[in-house]
Amino acid sequence: AEHSSHIADKPFFPSVRGFMQEAPVIALALEGDDIITRVRDLLGPTDSMVAAPGTIRGDFGFKDADAKMRNVCHASDSPEAAADEIKRFFNAGEIFSY
């Protein structure tokens, strides 16, 4: 609920919430030069119906009418969002640097 609170008032929110509860989540915290842009480029657009082949969403995303709502992966869109999401998904001591 907290992760999607910015869309909680939208009519499609129940569908998004249901989809997010269908399966376990794998969370990654990545660091690197221009990492937000690089990861978002790797994923492709949110709507997997328009994502190019060779992107994660283009190759593995849903290809149906609900494709935009059933987003196969998420990436933070700013350093501030990333900081909030890291706190939401990881406990202290769960992030390791190599």
Side-chain angles (χ1 to χ4, degrees):
E2 181 182 346
H3 183 68
S4 300
S5 63
H6 63 289
I7 60 168
D9 62 337
K10 305 291 184 192
F12 56 81
F13 178 71
S15 295
V16 172
R17 182 180 53 214
F19 169 68
M20 290 181 67
Q21 295 174 338
E22 284 181 13
V25 172
I26 297 170
L28 303 171
L30 304 173
E31 183 177 50
D33 293 336
D34 201 22
I35 193 67
I36 291 172
T37 299
R38 291 170 65 192
V39 168
R40 292 177 70 80
D41 287 347
L42 179 67
L43 295 181
T46 302
D47 185 347
S48 61
M49 294 286 284
V50 299
T55 64
I56 293 172
R57 291 174 177 147
D59 290 351
F60 302 104
F62 293 94
K63 305 293 186 195
D64 59 21
D66 293 327
K68 192 170 184 179
M69 296 298 105
R70 299 175 71 213
N71 196 343
V72 68
C73 46
H74 167 78
S76 304
D77 62 2
S78 68
E80 297 79 16
D84 288 343
E85 291 169 2
I86 287 169
K87 284 188 245 177
R88 184 175 305 128
F89 291 106
F90 296 94
N91 294 316
E94 290 184 327
I95 304 292
F96 301 96
S97 295
Y98 293 96

